Amino acid sequence: MRTVNVEGLAGLTRLRFTIKNKAVSQYEGGRRSNIKGRSTEFSGYREYIPGDDMRYVDWNAYGRLDKLYIKEYMEEREGVINIFLDTSKSMDYGSQPKDEIMAGLAQAICFVADKQKDSVTVTDLAEPLKTMKLPKGRLGMMRLKAFLANSEIKGKIDLGDAIKKAAIGKHGLTFIISDYYDEGFLDEEVELCRYMRYLRHDVVLLQVLSREELEIDETGAARMHDSEKVDDMVTATFDRETVESYMQALKDFKKELSGKAEKAGAGYYLCRTDRGLGRILLEDMRGLYDI
């Protein structure tokens, strides 16, 4: 798979993923949680309960109120980011290839997560049992780039079946990056997303589509093929009625995908390859961040 260099993208360092408390781990990290702990960030007071650690009693409050109160602080927990990659042959398409944008999205998500001290796991859905947990820091980014470079774009993938087989934990912010051309995915999308939410995953569908798939020029000319079955490109010219029918079918497909995601409590973002990685991350996906 083609990889890109994301570290230099302007604005990437200020992004911070929104993760609900149910989707964070029990491990120490850089993310504020509603769980009360002993970090340095003060949260509030509560009345003393027998058995509380006396070191956290506010003696000044006791002197004023003649009552014991405990100081509480915000616990900092580790967020968990899961990335599922569709490496089926249909992702190798477009003048700006879809797999290159997918690789860039995976690298950018990892980069943002690492800055937040979150953990990241990555799964090539062609081999769902080989989930890789990345080490933190520059080593993690290097291993991710090698993982992506060694992931081959080929064949077909049953997305739903592969995700269910993947070795993932019971919490996290989970990105599924695909064009969603798997014929069976729409039929089981709601069930799959609800299953993931049962496992305490906040699910986000990132649909990567090329300009060539989203637009047909005014002459009706297009180069297309079933990329998961044959290698030869076919140039075809369509009449206005056929073009309109195709555009309506594509519109309906995207609407159904996003509508089912919303019904199941998942997020949906269209990632047009001709928008460029920076605009996709900073503009089109801005609903994902605390900024």
Side-chain angles (χ1 to χ4, degrees):
M1 191 190 311
R2 305 170 181 90
T3 60
V4 297
N5 185 8
V6 302
E7 286 83 350
L9 284 176
L12 199 61
T13 56
R14 63 184 173 86
L15 299 182
R16 185 178 180 88
F17 290 124
T18 301
I19 301 183
K20 297 174 183 177
N21 286 311
K22 68 179 180 62
V24 299
S25 76
Q26 73 272 29
Y27 299 111
E28 182 180 347
R31 184 178 295 279
R32 287 188 301 175
S33 166
N34 287 338
I35 302 169
K36 299 301 184 292
R38 298 304 178 208
S39 75
T40 59
E41 184 166 352
F42 178 68
S43 172
Y45 294 96
R46 65 169 173 80
E47 288 191 28
Y48 171 82
I49 299 173
D52 282 339
D53 192 331
M54 296 298 291
R55 292 177 297 174
Y56 298 103
V57 170
D58 188 327
W59 296 107
N60 290 328
Y62 176 74
R64 294 193 307 270
L65 304 172
D66 196 29
K67 200 168 187 178
L68 293 177
Y69 287 91
I70 294 290
K71 290 182 179 180
E72 290 191 318
Y73 299 84
M74 297 297 295
E75 183 70 274
E76 291 186 341
R77 293 294 180 93
E78 177 187 68
V80 179
I81 309 290
N82 306 287
I83 305 172
F84 292 135
L85 304 174
D86 174 6
T87 55
S88 58
K89 184 61 178 174
S90 66
M91 294 298 289
D92 182 17
Y93 183 72
S95 55
Q96 174 70 59
K98 291 186 287 184
D99 67 305
E100 184 174 306
I101 291 296
M102 176 171 67
L105 288 169
Q107 290 173 260
I109 290 168
C110 179
F111 180 85
V112 173
D114 187 66
K115 294 298 180 184
Q116 298 173 215
K117 299 180 181 179
D118 293 334
S119 71
V120 180
T121 62
V122 184
T123 303
D124 177 350
L125 291 175
E127 299 183 277
L129 297 179
K130 295 183 180 180
T131 292
M132 180 178 70
K133 184 172 182 178
L134 299 177
K136 289 184 170 60
R138 183 168 294 276
L139 178 60
M141 294 298 295
M142 291 173 59
R143 288 193 179 174
L144 174 62
K145 201 164 186 176
F147 177 86
L148 295 171
N150 290 325
S151 295
E152 189 175 355
I153 303 295
K154 65 177 183 179
K156 299 183 70 174
I157 294 174
D158 183 326
L159 296 178
D161 182 63
I163 291 168
K164 289 176 182 177
K165 288 179 179 177
I168 58 173
K170 293 186 177 180
H171 44 69
L173 173 61
T174 296
F175 294 90
I176 306 172
I177 310 176
S178 173
D179 55 16
Y180 297 100
Y181 285 166
D182 170 29
E183 295 176 0
F185 184 80
L186 282 176
D187 294 334
E188 58 180 323
E189 178 184 356
V190 173
E191 178 187 351
L192 177 65
C193 289
R194 285 178 173 168
Y195 168 71
M196 296 292 286
R197 288 184 64 81
Y198 169 75
L199 295 178
R200 297 184 297 169
H201 288 248
D202 293 332
V203 181
V204 178
L205 308 184
L206 300 181
Q207 185 180 25
V208 182
L209 296 177
S210 69
R211 181 190 63 79
E212 291 86 349
E213 293 166 319
L214 292 163
E215 300 174 6
I216 298 179
D217 66 32
E218 294 180 357
T219 67
R223 299 184 72 230
M224 57 201 315
H225 66 155
D226 183 344
S227 60
E228 296 186 357
K229 293 181 180 178
V230 298
D231 295 325
D232 296 331
M233 295 293 293
V234 176
T235 300
T237 301
F238 307 104
D239 58 31
R240 181 181 296 275
E241 183 179 351
T242 302
V243 171
E244 289 177 352
S245 177
Y246 168 80
M247 296 304 294
Q248 185 60 50
L250 179 62
K251 180 180 179 181
D252 292 343
F253 171 57
K254 292 187 294 178
K255 183 177 180 180
E256 185 175 7
L257 183 66
S258 62
K260 286 187 174 182
E262 182 179 7
K263 181 178 180 180
Y268 167 85
Y269 296 89
L270 174 64
C271 304
R272 292 183 56 127
T273 61
D274 58 332
R275 291 274 291 167
L277 187 59
R279 293 179 70 187
I280 292 172
L281 289 163
L282 300 173
E283 298 177 19
D284 302 339
M285 292 169 55
R286 60 183 178 273
L288 289 172
Y289 313 118
D290 285 329
I291 53 174

